[in-house]
Amino acid sequence: MTVPPPSTRRVGTETSKTRGALLDSTEQLMLEEGYAGVTYRRVAAKAGVTAGLVQYYFPTLDDLFIALLERRSHSNLDKFARVLEANDGRPLRAIWEYSRDETTAALMVEFMALGNHRKAIRAEIAAVGERSHKAQLEAIEKMAGRFKVDGMVVPPSAVLFLLQSIPKIMLMEGELGRTSGHKETLALVDDFLARIEPQTRKPLARRRTSA
Amino acid sequence: MTVPPPSTRRVGTETSKTRGALLDSTEQLMLEEGYAGVTYRRVAAKAGVTAGLVQYYFPTLDDLFIALLERRSHSNLDKFARVLEANDGRPLRAIWEYSRDETTAALMVEFMALGNHRKAIRAEIAAVGERSHKAQLEAIEKMAGRFKVDGMVVPPSAVLFLLQSIPKIMLMEGELGRTSGHKETLALVDDFLARIEPQTRKPLARRRTSA
DNA sequence: GTCTATACGGCGATAGAC
DNA sequence: GTCTATCGCCGTATAGAC
């Protein structure tokens, strides 16, 4: 059988120190100039190596992006676990705080934009999003099945969607110079969170109308 | 004085039939393959002309994108005016319906992603967004200054932000294969709209729990 | 005013030398 | 593990034909 040669291309080891440094350079480039600023030649220049070496570790640019996303995903899950612990009993507040982290959000927004046009990366983005979503939904469902606001039933999945999405879209708009309604929406979410996850132990405690 | 020759480059007229056809091809390419799929050579191939001719009308790719965005912006404003008229007395419902238009949203999402990495286009995106935002805020403020839900003040700008943003982020996530919480959030918004903009003339009328 | 031909450097990617 | 040579596609610029 004339099997199509299963790619004899050599690839660097995953534990290589160089490899990690290349991922660092890539992440930096991505935050500074967006994913379009990530080229073999520029990653190489930033890390002080040749472009060919970058290609040795990451045969295609998709390989590079996927490796970076994978690394970030794990540190993100760790970070969320820490924020959750710091906000014991208030998972929504934890999700909100975590989602508002600028660096993390900026990178994920970059990856979302990237995934929109790179089929190979889409699956990885989806997997990372699924992991994150699962962790956060678990945190929510531990506390209550459903919230109600003025008689309207608010399912946890909708709350999670909004808490995750609002900071992302604000970040995108902000990068374009548009901030209309941002301040007001942030305040609204804060009010909402204070209402269903009051600081004190008393459920539905009334907050002073501060600020 | 050795003035740098002020660019003697010739450009096609704005009323050219060819020019319009090139914009059509560009818009199609953008919807099919994203902005990254837009190249001189591919636009030319789609329109059945040479790449050089595309450059004659649009000296740089930014010129091409900006011209397309400008054209879309005007037809979008027209469309919103029509939807507003069809939903007389319910501007929020009109904004929601308009924002959920798939083609329009997909193009604007594409442009937002594009603007993130192309400085020259950012200003144009901001201007277009500003025009759209102004028209929609005007429509809202004609009806009421502020809404209240369960005692929480909901400023019009926050409502507008959410009504505009939610369909966009759902579109982005949907393209990545993620739809968690979408259905529930859409239902939530519908409930909210039904509450503050009831179908009948009676304020705060209760809707039947259909579907 | 419309359109074509050609050239240049940067890019992702491949194959193979040290 | 590291690096060079090479290929084809890209945006862009320019000179010139109809």
Side-chain angles (χ1 to χ4, degrees), chain A residues 35 110 116-117 150 175 195, chain B residues 35 110 116-117 175 195:
Chain A
Y35 69 83
E110 264 329 294
N116 255 324
H117 305 304
D150 201 11
E175 281 171 6
R195 175 173 306 253
Chain B
Y35 70 82
E110 230 22 75
N116 254 325
H117 305 304
E175 281 171 6
R195 174 175 306 253

Side-chain angles (χ1 to χ4, degrees), chain A residues 140-148 153-157:
Chain A
I140 289 187
E141 285 172 341
K142 259 183 198 153
M143 77 168 288
R146 264 179 168 53
F147 316 108
K148 271 198 174 185
V153 171
V154 184
S157 58

Side-chain angles (χ1 to χ4, degrees), chain A residues 84-98:
Chain A
L84 194 59
E85 204 170 4
N87 288 271
D88 186 45
R90 295 188 295 164
L92 295 188
R93 175 69 60 180
I95 291 169
W96 182 237
E97 194 178 309
Y98 167 75

Side-chain angles (χ1 to χ4, degrees), chain A residues 63-88:
Chain A
D63 293 328
L64 175 58
F65 284 125
I66 287 173
L68 178 58
L69 180 55
E70 195 63 33
R71 194 179 74 164
R72 255 286 154 180
S73 167
H74 289 111
S75 71
N76 280 354
L77 286 176
D78 288 348
K79 181 179 177 131
F80 175 64
R82 284 198 304 276
V83 176
L84 194 59
E85 204 170 4
N87 288 271
D88 186 45

